[in-house]
Amino acid sequence: MINNHHFLSYKHNLIQIFIFVSAIHVVKASIHEYNNEGFMPRFNSFFFHGGSEGMYASNVHVNGSNDDKSITGKSFIRFESIIFRRPKEVAAKQNEMQQSTGVVEAIIVEVKNRDKIGGEYLNSDAICCTPKLASDGSCKVGEVIIRQDPDNPGWPKRIQTPFGGKNEEAKMLLQTIEINRTGMYYLYFMFCDPQLTGTIIMSGRTVWRNPDGYLPGKMTPLMPFYGFMSLAYLILGLFWFLRFVQHWKDIIQLHYHITVVIGLGMCEMALWYFEYANFNVTGSRPIGITFWAVTFSACKKTFSRLLLLVVSMGYGVVRPTLGGVTLKVLLLGFVYFLASEALELVENVGNINDFSGKARVFLVLPVALLDSCFILWIFSSLSKTLEKLQLRRSMGKLELYRKFTNALALSVLVSVAWIGYELYFNSSDPLSELWRRAWIIHAFWAILAYILLVVTCFLWSPSHNPTRYSYSEVEDIEDEGIPLTSSGVKVSGELMERKTTMISDHVFEVIEEDKRE
C-alpha cells in the first residue's frame, strides 16, 4: 500500500492525487447536485469528483425501497436522475446498431482502499486498462482498473452507464449502494475512451445518508454538542438573571454588556442546533436558519471580544467611560464582525464545490489578524489598568484584575497549543481519514469562549457590594493628590457636597481600608 508520502507523487498513484485535490473541495451537504459538470483529464482517464463524506455503516440492510419510512437505520449512497451528455459530433460518428458506444463509470472507494484503484499493483501508472495490461486478464480494456478488497467483497464499487448507438445522452439507472463499513468514502465519475472528450454530467444528484440521518459523518456529533451548549448557556443565563434581579439596584453598565453576550450565546447555540437538526432530516442546509445562525455567531464573537477589551481597559471599574478610544473600539468591532460574517457565510451557506483553498485562506487571514489585534490591545490595556490600580492601592480591584489576567493568559496559551494541534491534525490527515475526530476542532473554540464568559460572570457578578469592582470618583480625587481628611489642603464646599451626594457608606468603608493599607 502507498503511504501519504507516496500519495504526493503523480507517478506512483494517481488516484491518491484525485482524492487530495478533492479534499480541498469537500462538500458539506448530503445531497450533491450536478449541473453541467465537466470531466478533468488525468493520464489515460477523465474524472469528476462527485462528493466525499464520512459514512457510518448501516444498522440494518437496504431492502431496495426508496420509501422514507424504510430508510431508518440505513446508510447508503443513492444515484438519482443522473444524465450524461456527450458532444453531438461524437455521437454522430457512432454505429446506431451498437448497444454501447461509450461508457461512463461511477466509482465509489473508501479512502483506505485508494491503492486498489489504478494499475499500481501491475507496476503501471495507468488508471484505465490498456491492451497490454489486459493481455493477462487483469482488467478489461476501456474500464477503470479496480482490484477488489478481500476483506470487503464487492468493494470498491463500479457502476457503468453506457451510451447507446448515436444517442447524445445516457441516463444512469436509479441505484442505492449500501454502506456496510464505516469509513471516508469518495465518489468519482470516470471514463476512459478519449472519444468521449467533452462529455458532461448534464443533471442529477446523489443522496448520501448515514444511519441516523443526512448529516455528514464529520458533522454528526456536532448536533448533540450544540444541544448541550444551548443547555449550558441557558443554565448560565438563569443564574445570571437571578443575580441580576437580586441586586438590580447595584447594577453597573458592564453587567448589561455581559447580559448581551450571554443572550447572543444562547441564540447562537440554539440556532446551530436547529440548523443541524433540519439538515439531518432534509439532507440540505436551510439557507434562512443557516444565515441567522452565522449572523448570531459573528455577533457573539464580536461582542465577546469587545467585552474582554472594555473590561481590560477598566471600563466601569477604573474609568467611567472609554473616552477618546470609543470610536477605535467600535471600528475594530465593526470590521471584525464583517470579516467573521464573510468567512462564516462562505463556509456554511456558500457552495463548497466552488470554494478553493486559496479563497478560504484569503478570508481566514483577516479574521486571524484582527484576533491578534484584539489580543495585543487587551493585554496592553490590562497592563495599564493593573499599574493604575497598584498606584491607587486599590487592593480589592487589583486582586480581581490579577485573576482576570491569569485567566486570559491561560486561555491564550491553551489557544496557541490548540492551533498547533490543528496544524498537526490537518497536515497529518490530508485525506480526512480521521474524520470522526474532526468535530472536536469546532467544539474546542465554543467551549473556550463559554469558559471565558463564565469566568467573567463570576468575577463581575452583581453584588450587594458593587464598590469592589465599580468606578468611584473618590479614587480619581485620590489619584490627583487631593487628601480626603480635614488635615492638609482644604476641599471646597462644592466638591464636598458632590462627594456627599455620590458616595455611599460602602465607599467610605473602602476608602478607610485603603488608608490603613
Side-chain angles (χ1 to χ4, degrees), residues 479-493:
D479 210 24
E480 293 171 3
I482 304 176
L484 299 176
T485 60
S486 57
S487 59
V489 180
K490 184 177 180 181
V491 182
S492 68

Side-chain angles (χ1 to χ4, degrees), residues 104-165:
V104 179
E105 298 181 280
I107 309 295
I108 306 174
V109 58
E110 190 179 353
V111 165
K112 70 178 189 178
N113 285 335
R114 58 189 178 273
D115 63 320
K116 300 187 182 302
I117 304 295
E120 179 199 355
Y121 76 105
L122 299 174
N123 297 318
S124 171
D125 292 331
I127 297 299
C128 294
C129 188
T130 62
K132 181 179 179 180
L133 295 175
S135 60
D136 61 355
S138 300
C139 57
K140 186 177 179 180
V141 176
E143 294 183 355
V144 176
I145 302 171
I146 295 180
R147 182 162 54 102
Q148 295 296 307
D149 180 5
D151 298 326
N152 192 15
W155 287 87
K157 289 287 185 182
R158 181 207 308 268
I159 304 173
Q160 295 183 331
T161 303
F163 286 94

Side-chain angles (χ1 to χ4, degrees), residues 30 60 118 134 149 166 199 210 262 287 333 372 380 404 407 420 434 474:
S30 287
V60 295
D149 180 5
K166 294 179 176 291
T199 298
N210 275 297
I262 294 175
I287 295 179
S372 300
S380 174
F404 181 68
L434 303 177
V474 174

Side-chain angles (χ1 to χ4, degrees), residues 19-34:
I19 295 175
F20 177 75
V21 172
S22 304
I24 300 177
H25 307 274
V26 173
V27 181
K28 290 187 178 179
S30 287
I31 297 179
H32 300 255
E33 302 278 354
Y34 312 121

Side-chain angles (χ1 to χ4, degrees), residues 37-39 84-87 104 163 191 195-201:
E37 310 289 351
F39 288 75
F84 304 101
R85 177 188 284 274
R86 60 183 173 181
V104 179
F163 286 94
F191 63 83
Q195 292 187 9
L196 292 178
T197 301
T199 298
I200 62 172
I201 305 177

Side-chain angles (χ1 to χ4, degrees), residues 260-281:
V260 170
V261 175
I262 294 175
L264 288 172
M266 292 172 61
C267 294
E268 176 197 13
M269 295 302 157
L271 282 170
W272 278 123
Y273 175 79
F274 285 115
E275 196 263 358
Y276 275 56
N278 189 293
F279 187 7
N280 193 47
V281 172

Side-chain angles (χ1 to χ4, degrees), residues 207-369:
V207 178
W208 304 54
R209 191 186 192 280
N210 275 297
D212 296 323
Y214 291 99
L215 271 179
K218 281 185 177 181
M219 303 169 70
T220 299
L222 286 173
M223 187 171 73
F225 170 76
Y226 284 126
F228 171 79
M229 289 303 298
S230 298
L231 181 61
Y233 271 98
L234 181 62
I235 294 173
L236 177 62
L238 180 60
F239 278 105
W240 183 260
F241 176 75
L242 292 176
R243 297 288 294 180
F244 201 93
V245 172
Q246 185 180 0
H247 305 285
W248 67 273
K249 291 184 179 180
D250 301 313
I251 296 300
I252 61 175
Q253 192 67 29
L254 186 61
H255 291 144
Y256 292 102
H257 292 211
I258 296 175
T259 304
V260 170
V261 175
I262 294 175
L264 288 172
M266 292 172 61
C267 294
E268 176 197 13
M269 295 302 157
L271 282 170
W272 278 123
Y273 175 79
F274 285 115
E275 196 263 358
Y276 275 56
N278 189 293
F279 187 7
N280 193 47
V281 172
T282 63
S284 58
R285 308 194 79 161
I287 295 179
I289 299 177
T290 305
F291 174 79
W292 284 110
V294 164
T295 301
F296 271 92
S297 181
C299 285
K300 199 265 286 186
K301 288 179 181 178
T302 303
F303 274 90
S304 296
R305 283 155 178 75
L306 290 177
L307 174 63
L308 294 177
L309 180 58
V310 298
V311 168
S312 301
M313 289 179 171
Y315 173 69
V317 180
V318 177
R319 55 200 299 180
T321 65
L322 296 180
V325 298
T326 302
L327 184 60
K328 295 180 180 179
V329 171
L330 293 177
L331 181 61
L332 178 60
F334 179 71
V335 174
Y336 183 85
F337 170 77
L338 293 180
S340 180
E341 176 84 353
L343 177 60
E344 293 280 349
L345 281 174
V346 175
E347 284 189 329
N348 294 282
V349 180
N351 184 357
I352 302 299
N353 275 325
D354 300 329
F355 185 41
S356 70
K358 291 182 179 179
R360 187 180 188 281
V361 170
F362 178 77
L363 292 172
V364 167
L365 285 178
V367 176
L369 180 62

Side-chain angles (χ1 to χ4, degrees), residues 185-199:
Y185 288 86
Y186 282 76
L187 167 64
Y188 294 96
F189 294 99
M190 305 178 72
F191 63 83
C192 298
D193 189 352
Q195 292 187 9
L196 292 178
T197 301
T199 298

